[in-house]
């Protein structure tokens, strides 16, 4: 994504005027308002938040190759074993950590991203590579994303540009900002590992911190997983193309993901209501 000073002063807001983006934003807003208005949310919102966190973690891990049943994620206590277990453990840790970083995000997004990678890696990555963008010549492990890997100089420049946009603030809808943060991190793959997990955690931070989903009950990760890895990769290709059509398609894809997350939490609310009846 270009952040050239010769362009609009608020490039994120400009994305909101792309064809179809306004409709996606409106659809997400209506869906979120509806689940927040559910009667269960008045007294049991903490339970919905906890369940959304679990389901969001499961969805993010599935996209990173660990597609476990929800009950297996719920049952398991040890995530230190095989690769899939470590991936699920990383997703759970990131979801828990995201809520602790909201106050730092708008002031120092790069610090937050470094922290997210540190949490995701859990000390497993080679010593010295955790919690910082990769250097020239360092490999990237992100099998889902087949786009060409930008070199370390491009990564550094684009991360700085993204951070400047976040710190400056934008009038763009939360969905647009969240989609750009998510897409940019996936396209850049700034770390040697766990880039998908970190990108989806950053999307979560934007959605919560923007006020769209303050209680974190609309897990977009569920929707990304439900739409499938192929659709996710195809939409990301559109983002990476930089064309208006590709960018709009990626934002719409992220909007559908949030909508599906809302549907998931609405089902949780209904289940809690039936149980209390």
């Amino acid at each position: 994504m270009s952040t050239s000073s010769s362009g609009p002063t608020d490039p994120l807001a400009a994305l909101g005027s792309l064809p179809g983006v306004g409709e996606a934003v409106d659809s997400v807003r209506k869906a979120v308002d509806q689940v927040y208005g559910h009667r269960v949310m008045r007294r049991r919102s903490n339970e919905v938040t906890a369940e959304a966190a679990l389901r969001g973690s499961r969805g993010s891990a599935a996209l990173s190759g660990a597609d476990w049943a929800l009950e297996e994620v719920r049952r398991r206590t040890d995530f230190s074993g095989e690769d899939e277990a470590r991936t699920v453990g990383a997703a759970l840790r990131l979801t828990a950590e995201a809520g602790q970083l909201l106050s730092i995000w708008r002031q120092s997004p790069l610090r937050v991203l470094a922290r997210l990678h540190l949490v995701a890696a859990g000390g497993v990555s080679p010593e010295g590579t955790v919690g910082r963008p990769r250097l020239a010549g360092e490999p990237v492990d992100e099998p889902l994303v087949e786009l060409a890997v930008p070199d370390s100089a491009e990564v550094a420049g684009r991360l700085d540009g993204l951070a400047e946009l976040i710190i400056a603030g934008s009038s763009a809808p939360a969905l647009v900002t969240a989609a750009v943060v998510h897409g940019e991190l996936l396209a850049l793959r700034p770390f040697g590992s766990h880039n998908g997990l970190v990108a989806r955690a950053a999307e979560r931070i934007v959605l919560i911190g923007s006020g769209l989903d303050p209680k974190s009950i609309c897990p977009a990760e569920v929707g990304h997983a439900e739409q499938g890895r192929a659709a996710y990769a195809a939409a990301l290709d559109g983002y990476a193309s930089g064309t208006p059509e590709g960018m709009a398609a990626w934002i719409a894809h992220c909007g559908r993901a949030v909508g599906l997350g809302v549907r998931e939490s609405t089902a949780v609310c209904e289940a809690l209501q039936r149980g209390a009846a």
Side-chain angles (χ1 to χ4, degrees), residues 70 100 121 163 209 232:
L70 181 64
Q100 310 303 313
Y232 187 64

Side-chain angles (χ1 to χ4, degrees), residues 222-254:
V222 168
H224 287 302
E226 189 169 329
Q227 293 180 85
R229 297 179 76 181
Y232 187 64
L236 178 63
D237 286 346
Y239 174 87
S241 75
T243 65
E245 297 80 10
M247 296 288 286
W250 169 252
I251 295 168
H253 182 89
C254 291

